[in-house]
């Protein structure tokens, strides 16, 4: 029972580099989300998707892009990495049924140096 | 304006005691839901309990219960008979509306430490 799987778990990037954080879920959830968590803070929504081919911005989308070509996968792309993007990134998914909780992956710890 | 406020940055409790973690929220939407998540030192986010704005009774899940006071806009988490494994960060989160993506807004969290 894999749930939400994020890769990689850790990554160090140099300023200006790009990378893609992978997220896949095996629960056939339509709704998927990307959050970032800065040290000592709560989670902030970056992007979300309500189904394949449909994405929308959250609270802090600048510097990121997403795509959703399949129900299972929701990758997050960082272009031109900046130190301000050093954070822990969480992917989550949820059933379409109302009031269901979001299920989170284990997170990706990203450092930009 | 901050929608979720957790006023206790840290709490220290003796093992086996009950503990209440505070959460207040702000919304003008009559339809909303409140979630509590636990984040242990290993970093994962674990769903604990949910309360809907129209639920007539306070939610309970094992040792977790939610003290929901709608007029005061508070949704405090109560952990009974605390255990060492309860030491973690606890986040309160709110979603507004029943339709659509039901995005969550998180509070800043409370770090709970259970002392033996």
């Amino acid at each position: 029972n894999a749930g939400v799987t994020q890769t990689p778990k850790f990554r160090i990037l140099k300023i200006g580099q790009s990378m893609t954080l992978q997220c896949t879920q095996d629960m056939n959830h339509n709704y998927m989300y990307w959050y970032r968590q800065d040290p000592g803070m709560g989670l902030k929504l970056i992007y979300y998707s309500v189904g394949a081919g449909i994405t929308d911005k959250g609270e802090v989308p600048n510097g990121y892009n997403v795509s959703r070509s399949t129900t299972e996968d929701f990758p997050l792309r960082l272009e031109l990495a900046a130190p301000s993007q050093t954070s822990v990134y969480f992917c989550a998914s949820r059933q379409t049924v109302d009031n269901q909780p979001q299920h989170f992956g284990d997170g990706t710890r990203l450092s930009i140096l | 304006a901050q929608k979720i406020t957790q006023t206790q940055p840290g709490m220290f409790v003796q093992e086996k005691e009950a503990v209440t973690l505070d959460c207040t929220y702000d919304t003008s939407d009559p339809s909303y839901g409140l979630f509590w998540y636990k984040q242990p030192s290993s970093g994962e986010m674990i769903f604990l309990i949910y309360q809907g704005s129209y639920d007539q009774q306070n939610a309970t899940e094992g040792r977790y219960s939610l003290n929901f006071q709608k007029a005061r806009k508070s949704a405090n988490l109560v952990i009974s008979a605390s255990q060492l494994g309860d030491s973690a960060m606890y986040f309160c989160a709110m979603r507004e509306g029943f339709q659509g993506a039901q995005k969550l807004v998180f509070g800043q969290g409370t770090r709970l430490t259970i002392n033996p």
Side-chain angles (χ1 to χ4, degrees):
Chain A
N1 189 10
V4 179
T5 303
Q6 292 184 236
T7 56
K9 295 190 183 303
F10 304 94
R11 183 73 184 267
I12 298 174
L13 281 182
K14 294 182 178 179
I15 296 172
Q17 288 185 323
S18 300
M19 78 163 293
T20 299
L21 280 65
Q22 301 292 344
C23 175
T24 187
Q25 51 94 7
D26 62 358
M27 298 174 282
N28 201 32
H29 289 171
N30 281 330
Y31 295 156
M32 296 188 74
Y33 311 83
W34 273 105
Y35 295 89
R36 60 177 287 172
Q37 183 181 27
D38 297 331
M41 304 292 286
L43 280 67
K44 292 187 177 181
L45 184 64
I46 305 172
Y47 270 95
Y48 66 97
S49 170
V50 300
I54 306 170
T55 63
D56 206 348
K57 297 178 180 178
E59 182 184 357
V60 290
N62 291 344
Y64 307 95
N65 278 301
V66 293
S67 60
R68 184 93 181 272
S69 57
T70 67
T71 299
E72 294 78 19
D73 299 310
F74 190 39
L76 177 72
R77 178 82 177 163
L78 277 73
E79 304 282 1
L80 298 175
S84 61
Q85 293 177 304
T86 293
S87 191
V88 179
Y89 291 83
F90 287 97
C91 179
S93 72
R94 185 181 69 82
Q95 290 184 35
T96 308
V97 176
D98 287 341
N99 303 332
Q100 290 298 304
Q102 294 182 16
H103 299 272
F104 286 81
D106 289 340
T108 295
R109 188 174 297 274
L110 181 63
S111 295
I112 315 295
L113 303 177
Chain B
Q2 192 166 0
K3 293 195 171 186
I4 293 285
T5 303
Q6 294 181 253
T7 58
Q8 307 152 311
M11 286 195 67
F12 296 84
V13 174
Q14 287 298 119
E15 190 180 7
K16 299 181 183 178
E17 290 184 350
V19 57
T20 298
L21 304 181
D22 295 341
C23 173
T24 58
Y25 58 91
D26 182 29
T27 181
S28 57
D29 192 328
S31 300
Y32 56 89
L34 296 149
F35 299 80
W36 277 91
Y37 283 85
K38 173 183 178 182
Q39 186 178 42
S41 58
S42 50
E44 70 270 29
M45 296 289 288
I46 302 168
F47 165 70
L48 296 178
I49 197 166
Y50 167 79
Q51 180 84 43
S53 60
Y54 296 121
D55 293 344
Q56 294 299 311
Q57 294 185 327
N58 287 345
T60 60
E61 290 286 349
R63 293 187 299 111
Y64 303 108
S65 61
L66 209 152
N67 183 4
F68 182 46
Q69 299 187 42
K70 198 169 182 177
R72 292 187 175 185
K73 293 188 175 180
S74 74
N76 299 338
L77 177 70
V78 180
I79 305 174
S80 63
S82 58
Q83 302 171 356
L84 296 179
D86 294 332
S87 294
M89 283 289 289
Y90 288 82
F91 291 97
C92 180
M94 179 178 69
R95 63 108 181 109
E96 290 175 307
F98 284 118
Q99 303 298 321
Q102 297 189 9
K103 297 171 284 183
L104 292 181
V105 176
F106 284 81
Q108 291 191 312
T110 295
R111 182 173 298 281
L112 176 63
T113 302
I114 308 298
N115 295 315

